[in-house]
Amino acid sequence: MTTLVCLSQLSVPAVAAEAESFEQAIRLCNGDDAEDVFEGCGYILEHPNTQQNYLVALWERGKTYLDLGDYANAIVDLTAAIQTNSYRGVLFVAREHAYRETGQLTLATLDYNTAIELEQYLPSGYIGRARVHRMRGEHSRAISDYTEAIRLDPSSSFAYNERANVYRDQRKLSRAIADYTEAIKLDPEYPLPFVNRRTVHQQQGEFQRAIADVSIILELDPSSPDAYFDRGMLHIEMSEFSKADADFDQAELIDSISAHRLKRIAKALHSAGRSAEALDYVRKALDFNPTDPGGTEILATILNSVGRYDEAYTEYARTAELGGPEKIEELKTKLHSAGFYNGVIDGKFDEETRSALRSCVSARCFQEHHYPSRYQ
């Protein structure tokens, strides 16, 4: 962090109850607490004594706005800083971040181009521009910029991880794994490359390797419910159901599993032929939100698959009613495709639709043992 110029001989009125001098404002402005930064930097900006102090106060407050996600105010402060000193590439890099986060990609690119022109040996300029290229789907340009950032700083695990993400976008999974692995070698305690490499292993069906990566993530952060959940889902893929249950239990101990994740578990278990366990999980999800049509539809599908047709009909009907006209129209379309309904496709859940639904369920026409993706 840049240190403000301190004029120790200068005495001014109190900045706040605990601040009795300009030096205190400097300490606050250079602190880690956002309120302190706003108080200290604000005072300095109202009482500037040197251009350097004014510039750094804008910089510190602008960065704090960035950290808080207040991009509009960050842009204001960083623009003022650039107007004060337009030769510092790092100022353009920071403002670009705000532009990128607010979708102003053209302005973001202009700032990165300027940063690179001013300080061509600044890796963050290339990294930032690469991220904009990736957002635009310009993968070759993104890789080129990440490669230049790596050339400038071969020890940047972040740059390797980011370039790997672009390779993954391009489905160049071997190159992605190579870059994730290099990022891990450079910084074995940086969790993101493990998270991302696990995803690629999973896409390749290498579930044991994916489990190994998640296990390392848990060594780095044993209190991560997300990692326990992810490993549990992978254990289901390996038909290691007792291990999956243990991981889900551990995730639940750390932080209650959301209804969305409980439904994912139910779908995965159902696809794996574990309908009884799947029923338990989807019912837990519905305990969170009994009127969730997504939950009732999963419940209906599982009940139908195990021959509990009356209960399945009830849940399919409840799904239609909870989902409203759009869901009813979707149901009618399915019934028509299955050959059980020839009426009007609209959003009315009438007696004809109910009768068609009952016949369809009895014939097990909605058998969906497998979902498009267990991870949706």
Side-chain angles (χ1 to χ4, degrees):
M1 181 179 289
T2 307
T3 303
L4 290 166
V5 176
C6 176
L7 302 179
S8 58
Q9 72 274 19
L10 183 62
S11 176
V12 297
V15 177
E18 74 281 3
E20 299 178 353
S21 65
F22 193 81
E23 288 84 348
Q24 178 68 8
I26 291 171
R27 287 191 291 272
L28 291 172
C29 188
N30 280 283
D32 296 323
D33 181 79
E35 290 187 6
D36 288 347
V37 171
F38 291 143
E39 184 175 1
C41 293
Y43 181 85
I44 293 166
L45 292 171
E46 291 175 3
H47 306 82
N49 64 336
T50 68
Q51 187 183 65
Q52 176 68 7
N53 279 355
Y54 182 77
L55 173 63
V56 179
L58 286 168
W59 165 246
E60 294 295 339
R61 194 172 70 175
K63 285 195 304 177
T64 303
Y65 280 131
L66 275 180
D67 292 340
L68 294 175
D70 186 347
Y71 301 118
N73 277 318
I75 289 170
V76 170
D77 275 358
L78 293 168
T79 298
I82 288 169
Q83 289 170 347
T84 303
N85 183 342
S86 61
Y87 299 99
R88 294 294 306 278
V90 68
L91 297 175
F92 290 93
V93 169
R95 189 174 66 174
E96 178 284 334
H97 183 133
Y99 282 142
R100 176 162 44 84
E101 291 294 335
T102 53
Q104 301 180 72
L105 300 187
T106 299
L107 292 175
T109 302
L110 289 172
D111 268 3
Y112 271 129
N113 288 341
T114 302
I116 290 169
E117 289 173 6
L118 291 171
E119 301 180 52
Q120 58 182 298
Y121 299 110
L122 188 68
S124 60
Y126 291 97
I127 289 174
R129 191 170 67 181
R131 297 178 83 172
V132 175
H133 286 319
R134 184 187 177 200
M135 291 175 71
R136 287 175 160 169
E138 299 168 348
H139 296 129
S140 296
R141 290 182 176 181
I143 288 172
S144 177
D145 274 346
Y146 281 130
T147 300
E148 181 62 17
I150 289 169
R151 186 188 70 80
L152 293 171
D153 182 8
S155 65
S156 175
S157 59
F158 180 82
Y160 274 105
N161 179 73
E162 291 293 301
R163 189 173 70 176
N165 289 338
V166 183
Y167 283 135
R168 190 178 70 189
D169 293 343
Q170 294 181 307
R171 305 294 299 174
K172 296 178 180 179
L173 300 186
S174 296
R175 289 188 178 184
I177 286 179
D179 269 4
Y180 289 136
T181 302
E182 185 62 29
I184 288 167
K185 288 178 182 178
L186 290 169
D187 187 356
E189 295 186 357
Y190 180 31
L192 275 181
F194 289 106
V195 173
N196 293 326
R197 191 173 68 177
R198 180 269 297 168
T199 300
V200 176
H201 285 319
Q202 178 183 313
Q203 290 173 332
Q204 293 179 316
E206 298 280 355
F207 298 117
Q208 200 59 57
R209 290 183 176 179
I211 288 171
D213 275 345
V214 180
S215 296
I216 295 172
I217 294 167
L218 283 166
E219 290 177 10
L220 297 173
D221 182 7
S223 63
S224 171
D226 294 343
Y228 280 111
F229 172 80
D230 288 343
R231 192 170 68 178
M233 296 294 283
L234 289 164
H235 281 309
I236 291 178
E237 293 283 3
M238 298 289 291
S239 298
E240 298 171 343
F241 301 110
S242 61
K243 290 182 179 179
D245 286 339
D247 276 345
F248 294 143
D249 288 344
Q250 191 62 38
E252 183 73 28
L253 284 174
I254 298 169
D255 188 17
S256 60
I257 300 177
S258 68
H260 173 69
R261 286 186 166 179
L262 289 168
K263 289 188 292 183
R264 285 178 59 192
I265 295 170
K267 290 165 69 175
L269 287 168
H270 178 50
S271 292
R274 310 284 288 198
S275 297
E277 294 98 322
L279 283 172
D280 288 340
Y281 278 104
V282 73
R283 283 184 170 130
K284 288 180 183 177
L286 286 168
D287 285 342
F288 280 97
N289 183 4
T291 60
D292 171 26
T296 56
E297 186 168 30
I298 295 170
L299 177 58
T301 300
I302 299 170
L303 289 169
N304 195 27
S305 72
V306 296
R308 294 163 64 173
Y309 304 126
D310 288 343
E311 295 171 84
Y313 166 79
T314 299
E315 296 303 329
Y316 277 128
R318 189 152 72 105
T319 299
E321 291 168 343
L322 291 172
E326 185 176 343
K327 196 68 179 177
I328 294 168
E329 188 172 336
E330 177 187 315
L331 172 63
K332 286 187 172 184
T333 300
K334 287 183 178 180
L335 290 170
H336 177 76
S337 298
F340 287 86
Y341 179 76
N342 291 313
V344 178
I345 305 295
D346 58 19
K348 298 178 181 179
F349 195 45
D350 51 26
E351 189 55 41
E352 183 182 4
T353 309
R354 292 177 184 274
S355 177
L357 175 60
R358 190 177 292 278
S359 298
C360 179
V361 169
S362 297
R364 304 181 75 171
C365 73
F366 283 160
Q367 281 305 290
E368 296 176 9
H369 288 288
H370 300 281
Y371 293 89
S373 169
R374 301 183 190 179
Y375 294 90
Q376 289 180 353

